[in-house]
Amino acid sequence: MSQEEFDIQNSVEGIWTKLGEWLDSIILGLPNFILAVLVFILFVLAAKYLGKLLDKLLRYKVRQASIREITIKILKVVVIAIGFFVALGLLNLNTILTSVLAGAGVVGLAVGLALQGTLNNTFSGILLSFLPELQIGDWIENNGFAGRVVEINLRSIVIREADNNYVVIPNSQVIDAPFKNFSRTSRSRITVSCGVAYNSDLELVKTITLNTISELFPQKKGEEVEFMYNEFGDSSINFVVRFWSAATNNRDILFARSSAIIAIKKVYDQHDINIPFPIRTLEFNNRLNIQKPSAEGDA
């Protein structure tokens, strides 16, 4: 019985001894821990300050906002990562850090295989950020959506459509699919289709149409208003007129086309030129024979 009491007493003393050693280690390592926390906080603040400084410098040399944003994000991540490693070094955790990095490599490979789609979007986002044909503020059409680009991040781009709703498109889809950018050129060619009656003076129609559009939309050097008849329709002779106008988004194109349609209709009315609507004529060759039924037939 005494032997059991002696063993229990030794065990309790061993526990207290170990706790004492841990407490001493904590007390001795507390200054380093506080220093490591302060160093890490300083690196976080430095990353924020350097990000603002880099943004000011890039504004004078890099006009593309997406490049500035992705560069600042990368700088902040690098500075914070350096601060994290320095803090671990102050805590004398270099050996643990090496083991963690080795394990992180294996885990990173597994995670990379599991998140291929996400990583594809990330690398696509980096490519889009440096792509001069796509910038924040541009009006684009992509994957059936049209709107102004308001954000380019590492996962997706965000566009705001004409109805003021936001659409989020994964970066990989933007890279893999064609997109149309209205904002890369200051002028666009507008096409208006119309038709006139078969009894119209086609030369007169062409002349007044060209004059009207040329006055409404002055053409610059190398531009011209084009008029072409293209088909004999069911009830009209159809044509297209093409002209250049200042347009950097779909709204400008719609307004230009609307103004052209109003002007064409007005000048056609002044010259009694008819824009026919589809007419369908029904002919009945058989005559209806209406006879009063006879008395025998009634019976």
Side-chain angles (χ1 to χ4, degrees):
M1 189 69 177
S2 60
Q3 183 66 29
E4 294 181 357
E5 291 179 355
F6 178 76
D7 292 340
I8 294 174
Q9 185 177 358
N10 288 339
S11 299
V12 172
E13 289 179 356
I15 293 174
W16 281 109
T17 302
K18 181 61 68 174
L19 290 177
E21 293 176 356
W22 288 352
L23 181 59
D24 292 339
S25 300
I26 292 174
I27 294 174
L28 292 175
L30 185 60
N32 288 340
F33 177 77
I34 296 176
L35 180 61
V37 172
L38 292 177
V39 168
F40 183 72
I41 293 175
L42 288 176
F43 271 89
V44 172
L45 295 177
K48 184 177 180 180
Y49 174 77
L50 291 175
K52 292 182 179 180
L53 181 61
L54 182 62
D55 183 44
K56 292 180 180 180
L57 295 176
L58 292 178
R59 286 183 182 274
Y60 295 100
K61 296 183 178 181
V62 181
R63 298 178 59 185
Q64 192 167 342
S66 58
I67 295 179
R68 297 197 303 268
E69 290 183 1
I70 195 66
T71 304
I72 292 171
K73 289 179 180 179
I74 293 175
L75 174 65
K76 289 182 178 180
V77 170
V78 171
V79 173
I80 292 175
I82 293 175
F84 178 72
F85 293 143
V86 172
L88 290 179
L90 292 174
L91 294 174
N92 297 321
L93 297 178
N94 297 329
T95 304
I96 298 177
L97 178 60
T98 303
S99 301
V100 170
L101 291 177
V106 178
V107 174
L109 178 61
V111 173
L113 293 175
L115 301 176
Q116 293 183 15
T118 302
L119 293 177
N120 188 15
N121 287 327
T122 300
F123 286 109
S124 298
I126 296 176
L127 292 177
L128 288 176
S129 298
F130 290 89
L131 191 66
E133 288 80 14
L134 181 63
Q135 300 182 18
I136 294 176
D138 290 351
W139 185 279
I140 67 169
E141 287 184 357
N142 178 258
N143 288 284
F145 301 99
R148 191 173 303 280
V149 179
V150 297
E151 182 182 354
I152 301 176
N153 54 51
L154 294 178
R155 193 186 69 85
S156 60
I157 72 168
V158 182
I159 65 174
R160 184 174 64 187
E161 293 190 301
D163 57 3
N164 204 37
N165 289 317
Y166 290 87
V167 179
V168 180
I169 306 176
N171 291 328
S172 59
Q173 295 187 15
V174 180
I175 288 290
D176 295 336
F179 65 87
K180 184 177 182 179
N181 194 333
F182 291 84
S183 303
R184 292 297 89 199
T185 54
S186 60
R187 295 177 66 81
S188 296
R189 177 174 282 175
I190 317 297
T191 301
V192 176
S193 301
C194 189
V196 294
Y198 272 86
N199 59 355
S200 302
D201 185 341
L202 299 186
E203 292 295 335
L204 176 62
V205 170
K206 180 178 180 179
T207 300
I208 63 176
T209 303
L210 289 174
N211 293 338
T212 300
I213 298 299
S214 299
E215 293 177 1
L216 185 61
F217 299 96
Q219 303 295 284
K220 294 185 177 182
K221 183 178 180 180
E223 301 175 351
E224 64 176 333
V225 181
E226 298 177 336
F227 182 100
M228 293 148 291
Y229 291 104
N230 58 357
E231 66 174 347
F232 291 96
D234 294 336
S235 56
S236 62
I237 298 178
N238 299 325
F239 66 85
V240 294
V241 57
R242 303 193 305 179
F243 57 92
W244 293 87
S245 176
T248 57
N249 54 58
N250 194 47
R251 180 176 180 271
D252 295 339
I253 294 177
L254 293 177
F255 272 104
R257 185 177 289 121
S258 175
S259 300
I261 291 174
I262 293 174
I264 291 174
K265 178 63 169 60
K266 185 176 180 180
V267 73
Y268 283 6
D269 290 343
Q270 294 174 355
H271 290 80
D272 295 326
I273 297 175
N274 183 30
I275 303 177
F277 50 86
I279 299 175
R280 193 174 296 273
T281 303
L282 301 179
E283 295 184 0
F284 297 94
N285 295 325
N286 57 324
R287 297 181 179 180
L288 296 178
N289 187 10
I290 302 176
Q291 296 181 352
K292 183 178 180 180
S294 58
E296 182 179 353
D298 292 340

